[in-house]
């Protein structure tokens, strides 16, 4: 074997890695040298912009093979037709040193090449022969990039596509991204925010689109764009954007011609209309279908597709009306339009009826559009799931939806079979994943978050795959084949979504994050008393949305009868969606025999405890992972461990306060290992109230009295002498990097800065709240009863070295206070 694979074999594992190559590292494979590899690569297309040429290049990096499209293969080798290949599919045939990779088209050939390489990189050298075809034709990502270079809900730095109002000149990162996407068989990217800026349509930017498409084309990835519905007025200078107005139709026809001139194979348009303040056809009393078809007509001659979003709802609804319900909106708006959309329109539906929450029931719209193409919208960027600072492996959540059987007309109707087009015999359908990569070398801002992107592509190709098996492929490709690495990252990842659900929102109540500000930390009160419709209806006695037909909003009735009956009844609604469908007293007994309130308390303790194990597990891998990725991940897992406790206490305190029902286990509001900062002796520090109240232990914190002078908080330690993990709970706000020093007697135990933003890549809040609350832990500290604890906080800018409490956890006892 004379390939790069062999060369890299001797290179060892410990090189620092920045994540840029994601899972395409072609790293050393133990045992590879004893195996037979092909000795020549014959790529059957030499044009540099062709995916087959790229496939040859990729293979050059590792092995020697024949690769081409079916037509090329038959011509070049006089072989017979290979039956069973579908669009984008491939045949992979490995017999010793003879390898054939044949795609139904060139894109398929490239997918086959990546498949072969993935097998080699995982140490799999066996002979095989199989065909692999996609589940659905549309396997796209959506990027919410703005033209100024910012990214809505992006957590990995600025855009790779835009800067200062224009498409970037240097497309290196765009090509690298397309390579990563091709390796997971993604075939389209919508490159700009659904909240679209019409200046994308300027001549300069349209030329830029051509540049971007050229960079992605060799990887078989097509470019598409989001449109702003009112562009005819805002950009075109017309006095209307009425979709039936001839001038408006002509405007869009012209725009479309210009774009296809620059990008002859443009994938199509994505449209967010009449949603969250965006303009749309309803402004002119035209239906959403009329609006969608306007674009469908324009792109049809070019083979383009219109992805029309079903995320249409009124964000000013009145909570005092018991029957009002945002969850009803999609079906209310779209059901009667079934059959009215053109054949090249695909209605793009978020997996649940609200908005990427930690758990939602499957959107009933999938069961209400029988004569319309549909696609599912998933979110890889972790907007409501910890924003890449919490490890949350999301595919198990996606699988609950993809596997859900909606029983349309009493027949098997899994969501995956509806969106593939199979169930209702639709020509189009598939997957849209909101990714939001940025210029950070890790793409998503976090190495571990990349498992979600990898798995998204794999599930879109084959939704019957097992999330854990996909995860393990990703681990082997990303971190190598060491069994401990495989086992621990698997364990952490598979436990991560249940843990996150446990320490955020339980029983279908939604995530309980702050929906009025950044969707990061806890703020359960933010769900109610506003027009956004993410209500919990929590009061002193009861909680949950009554979505029954008999007494509530009627949402349950949007499902086909068999499913509706399950959700209509308290007895048959699963516990994990109870509060989504029913309004019940806190004392209601769940199927699992706990009361709702006790379940909340217990789940929050359990979830936070699981999160404490993540950095511990990760630490055992120190010698098996390069230092760069090891340290980066460790920082985030420690952050998550601390923030999970912030979540736990905030939610528990909030509902304890609302319900006045104590925790049967006596934990909530009772923290024997803590010393509250406001109870210490303060010098240059002053107590402050925190809002919302549950965001500080005992509801209060301290900040320095001056913006420029240090403060000291001190006290005598009254715990028995021993070894402790000392946690300092503080707030890291935007606008400064305060310095902290922690002393026991004269000994400095720790020193750090409020600079999470430098490590996490994004900052959260200017206030003392659930976004900025965080924890610094010093492990294994020898403490003597009577020691003097002293924290010196030095303010910086607007950050007044805020402190909440100090906790002394007896080391190794598994206590999480
Ligand atoms: C969420 C998200 C917005 C986004 C919207 C959408 O509400 O917070 O940033 O624009 O979804 O999907 O359109």
């Amino acid at each position: 074997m004379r390939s790069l694979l062999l060369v890299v074999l001797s290179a060892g594992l410990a090189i620092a890695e920045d994540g840029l190559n994601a899972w395409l590292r072609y790293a050393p494979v133990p045992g590879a040298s004893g195996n037979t590899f092909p000795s020549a690569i014959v790529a059957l297309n030499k044009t540099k912009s062709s995916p087959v040429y790229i496939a040859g290049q990729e293979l050059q990096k590792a092995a020697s093979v024949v690769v081409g499209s079916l037509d090329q293969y038959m011509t070049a080798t006089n072989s017979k037709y290979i039956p069973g290949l579908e669009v984008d599919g491939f045949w992979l045939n490995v017999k010793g040193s003879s390898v054939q990779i044949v795609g139904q088209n060139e894109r398929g050939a490239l997918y086959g090449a990546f498949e072969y390489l993935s097998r080699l990189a995982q140490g799999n050298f066996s002979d095989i022969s199989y065909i692999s075809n996609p589940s659905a034709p549309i396997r796209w990502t959506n990027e919410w990039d703005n033209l100024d270079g910012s990214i809505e809900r992006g957590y990995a730095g600025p855009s790779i596509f835009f800067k200062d109002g224009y498409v970037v000149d240097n497309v290196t990162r765009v090509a690298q991204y397309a390579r990563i996407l091709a390796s997971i068989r993604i075939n389209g990217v919508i490159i700009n925010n659904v909240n679209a800026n019409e200046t994308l349509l300027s001549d300069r930017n349209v030329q830029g689109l051509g540049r971007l498409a050229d960079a992605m084309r060799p990887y078989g990835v097509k470019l598409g764009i989001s449109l702003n519905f009112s562009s005819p007025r805002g950009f075109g200078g017309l006095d209307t954007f009425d979709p039936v107005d001839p001038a408006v139709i002509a405007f869009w026809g012209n725009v479309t011609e210009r774009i296809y001139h620059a990008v002859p194979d443009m994938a199509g348009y994505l449209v967010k209309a009449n949603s969250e303040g965006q303009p749309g056809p309803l402004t002119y009393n035209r239906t959403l279908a009329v609006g969608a078809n306007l674009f469908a007509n324009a792109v049809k001659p070019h083979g383009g597709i219109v992805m029309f979003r079903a995320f249409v709802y009124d964000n000013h609804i009145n909570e005092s009306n018991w029957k009002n319900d945002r969850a009803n909106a999609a079906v209310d708006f779209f059901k009667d339009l079934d059959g009215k959309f053109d054949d090249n329109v695909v209605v793009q539906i978020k997996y649940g009826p609200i908005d990427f929450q930690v758990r939602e029931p499957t959107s009933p719209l999938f069961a209400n559009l029988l004569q319309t193409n549909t696609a599912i919208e998933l979110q890889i960027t972790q907007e409501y799931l910890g924003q890449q600072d919490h490890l949350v492996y999301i595919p198990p959540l996606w699988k609950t939806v993809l596997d859900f059987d909606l029983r349309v007309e009493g027949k098997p109707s899994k969501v995956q079979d509806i969106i593939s087009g199979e169930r209702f015999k639709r020509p189009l359908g598939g997957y849209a994943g909101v990714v939001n990569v940025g210029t950070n070398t890790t793409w998503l801002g976090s190495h571990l978050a990349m498992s979600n992107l990898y798995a998204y592509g794999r599930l879109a190709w084959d939704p019957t795959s097992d999330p854990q098996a996909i995860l393990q492929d990703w681990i082997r490709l990303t971190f190598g084949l060491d069994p401990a690495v495989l086992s621990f990252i698997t364990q952490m990842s598979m436990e991560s979504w249940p843990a996150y659900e446990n320490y955020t929102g339980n029983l279908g109540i939604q995530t309980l994050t702050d929906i009025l500000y950044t969707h990061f930390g806890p703020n359960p009160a933010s769900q109610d008393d506003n027009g956004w419709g993410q209500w919990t209806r929590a009061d002193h006695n009861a909680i949950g949305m009554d979505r029954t037909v008999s007494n509530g909003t009627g949402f349950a009735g949007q499902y086909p009868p068999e499913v509706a009956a399950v959700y209509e009844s308290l007895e048959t609604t699963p516990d994990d969606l109870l509060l989504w469908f029913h309004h019940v007293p806190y004392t209601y007994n769940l199927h699992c025999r706990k009361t709702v309130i006790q379940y909340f308390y217990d789940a929050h303790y359990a979830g936070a405890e699981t999160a404490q194990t993540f950095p511990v597990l990760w630490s055992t891998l120190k010698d098996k992972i390069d230092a760069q990725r090891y340290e980066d991940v460790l920082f985030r897992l420690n952050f998550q461990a601390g923030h999970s406790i912030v979540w736990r206490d905030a939610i528990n305190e909030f509902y304890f306060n609302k319900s006045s029902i104590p925790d049967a286990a006596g934990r909530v509001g009772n923290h024997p290992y803590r010393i509250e900062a406001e109870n210490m002796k303060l010098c240059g520090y002053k107590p402050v109230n925190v809002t919302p109240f549950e965001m500080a232990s005992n509801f209060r914190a301290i900040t320095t009295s001056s913006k420029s002078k240090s403060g000291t908080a001190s006290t005598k330690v009254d715990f028995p002498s021993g070894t402790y993990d000392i946690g300092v709970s503080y707030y890291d706000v935007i606008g400064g990097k305060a310095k902290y020093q922690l002393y026991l007697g004269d000994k400095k135990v720790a020193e750090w800065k409020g600079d999470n933003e430098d490590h996490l890549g994004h900052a959260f809040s200017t206030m003392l709240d659930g976004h900025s609350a965080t924890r610094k832990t010093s492990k294994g500290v020898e403490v003597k009863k009577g020691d003097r604890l002293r924290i010196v906080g030095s303010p910086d800018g607007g950050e007044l070295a805020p402190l909440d409490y100090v906790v002394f956890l007896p080391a190794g006892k598994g206590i999480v206070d």
Side-chain angles (χ1 to χ4, degrees), residues 609 612 725 809-817:
E609 258 167 61
Q612 308 311 303
D725 296 340
L809 299 170
K813 297 249 168 71
I815 293 168
V816 187
D817 183 78

Side-chain angles (χ1 to χ4, degrees), residues 683-685 704 706 708-713 738-741 790-796 800-803:
C683 177
Y685 258 117
T704 54
S706 139
S708 52
K709 285 200 209 111
S710 299
T712 305
K739 208 167 92 187
Y740 298 88
Q741 291 164 310
R790 190 159 50 97
I791 302 183
V792 182
S794 309
D796 179 52
L800 304 180
L803 284 168

Side-chain angles (χ1 to χ4, degrees), residues 144 152-153 195 272 276 309 311 350 355 383 519:
W144 289 354
E152 183 155 339
R153 316 300 177 191
N195 301 315
K272 171 177 178 178
E276 300 184 331
R309 294 181 90 224
F311 190 61
K350 289 190 181 183
D355 194 14
E383 175 182 353
H519 300 166

Side-chain angles (χ1 to χ4, degrees), residues 761-783:
H762 58 122
F764 308 109
S765 170
T766 53
M767 293 166 290
L768 275 50
D769 56 22
H771 315 295
S772 60
T774 185
R775 189 185 259 216
K776 165 82 184 172
T777 303
S778 306
K779 298 226 164 191
V781 182
E782 290 304 323
V783 178

Side-chain angles (χ1 to χ4, degrees), residues 182-201:
S183 76
I184 49 169
R185 306 168 199 171
I186 296 296
N187 58 4
V189 180
I190 300 288
I191 56 159
N192 63 311
N193 193 353
V194 282
N195 301 315
N197 185 327
E198 55 227 358
T199 62
L200 182 61
L201 307 179

